[in-house]
Amino acid sequence: MIATVLLVAVTMALSLAHALELPGKLRLKEATYRSVQAIYYPGFTIGGFAEIGGIIALAIMLYLTPYPSARFWWTLAALAFLLAEHATYWLITHPVNNFWVQDVAMPQSAATFFSMFSRKQTGDWRDLHNIWEASHVARAGLAMLSLVSIAVAATFFAE
């Protein structure tokens, strides 16, 4: 349970960090914003492994939790919120990430990762900026709900 809470907390922390940057990033001009976007690789990419770990740990916790119990339903909620947070990444954030890192030198494995499920992004940089930033606010909210849910489930752990 402790490892599961920790993995969900790391996932929440990373998405919350992006969301908390929003007020400052809204003041940036295009050239500065583009420069800033490139700094997230590889740190946040490496941290993304906690997201996968959290999903796996929550699935294991759910499997091991007696049905029907309050702990089961709270763990299920935590898993559903984290899956929604992860889906938001792949459906909304990731395609735009490919645009921001297109000029960043990276190993082939990283280039392959960023090219997965991506589509050519065109349009005004502000549109991509708004999509990227809004997706991180949504991800932070979903990850926070997941963390709260698994924390509540942990209170039932002694049952």
Side-chain angles (χ1 to χ4, degrees):
M1 178 62 79
I2 292 169
T4 301
V5 171
L6 181 60
L7 288 166
V8 175
V10 169
T11 299
M12 187 276 306
L14 293 173
S15 58
L16 184 60
H18 281 306
L20 292 173
E21 294 172 333
L22 180 59
K25 287 175 75 180
L26 288 175
R27 296 190 309 261
L28 300 178
K29 303 283 188 234
E30 180 179 3
T32 307
Y33 186 85
R34 286 177 180 266
S35 293
V36 167
Q37 286 303 98
I39 68 169
Y40 297 118
Y41 170 79
F44 278 78
T45 307
I46 294 167
F49 286 105
E51 202 167 309
I52 300 298
I55 290 169
I56 293 168
L58 283 168
I60 292 168
M61 288 297 303
L62 188 63
Y63 176 76
L64 296 173
T65 302
Y67 172 85
S69 65
R71 187 170 35 137
F72 177 87
W73 293 112
W74 282 104
T75 304
L76 179 62
L79 178 59
F81 286 129
L82 203 59
L83 285 169
E85 185 264 354
H86 193 66
T88 301
Y89 172 80
W90 285 104
L91 297 172
I92 301 170
T93 311
H94 185 77
V96 181
N97 270 349
N98 194 40
F99 176 80
W100 299 123
V101 299
Q102 64 188 349
D103 297 326
V104 175
M106 61 182 73
Q108 183 58 44
S109 58
T112 300
F113 170 78
F114 282 109
S115 68
M116 290 189 317
F117 308 110
S118 66
R119 55 189 178 272
K120 182 70 174 164
Q121 296 292 332
T122 59
D124 185 66
W125 76 275
R126 285 183 189 87
D127 293 338
L128 298 173
H129 160 276
N130 291 339
I131 291 167
W132 195 88
E133 297 294 345
S135 74
H136 278 295
V137 171
R139 284 170 41 83
L142 290 164
M144 182 71 74
L145 288 170
S146 180
L147 180 60
V148 168
S149 297
I150 196 59
V152 171
T155 65
F156 295 110
F157 195 77
E159 288 182 359

